[in-house]
Amino acid sequence: MAKVSANYEVLYIIDPAQGEEGIPALVQKFKTLVETHGTLKEIDEWGKRRLAYPINDLLEGYYVLMTFESGSEFPAELDRIFKITDGILRSLIICKDE
């Protein structure tokens, strides 16, 4: 039988050029998205940090780590939304139950 829900961890990097209003707006957007499709456990904003390697000629990014519980179909949709959202440099979603 398939799992009904699982624990996930997502780390995403926001382009710091989004500014003081754009970064909190993106964090709130993804927080709301996760809360509507699952249970948000924790959100940890690491802030602006140096990237390990340049991405689109940028050397810094704003890191956000979220842990949540949701059904198995939601992470694929979340990944799709990360990819089409302007201002998101990279994202990684991991299932912690596996």
Side-chain angles (χ1 to χ4, degrees):
M1 190 166 133
K3 291 183 186 177
V4 175
S5 65
N7 292 309
Y8 294 94
E9 191 171 79
V10 59
L11 177 69
Y12 58 98
I13 306 171
I14 301 172
D15 182 353
Q18 297 296 311
E20 291 181 13
E21 295 176 3
I23 291 173
L26 282 173
V27 171
Q28 184 61 41
K29 172 185 175 177
F30 290 112
K31 178 182 175 188
T32 304
L33 187 65
V34 167
E35 288 174 339
T36 57
H37 291 91
T39 305
L40 181 66
K41 293 185 175 182
E42 183 180 2
I43 186 164
D44 188 12
E45 295 185 42
W46 293 356
K48 192 185 290 188
R49 300 203 174 202
R50 185 165 176 81
L51 299 172
Y53 55 89
I55 300 173
N56 301 335
D57 296 327
L58 295 173
L59 300 175
E60 289 185 327
Y62 190 89
Y63 285 71
V64 181
L65 175 70
M66 286 194 307
T67 56
F68 64 95
E69 184 177 339
S70 74
S72 60
E73 68 286 339
F74 175 64
E77 176 65 13
L78 182 62
D79 190 44
R80 184 188 73 80
I81 294 170
F82 276 130
K83 289 179 180 176
I84 63 172
T85 303
D86 289 336
I88 301 296
L89 299 177
R90 292 284 190 273
S91 65
L92 179 65
I93 302 172
I94 297 173
C95 181
K96 292 172 41 175
D97 291 343
E98 292 179 355

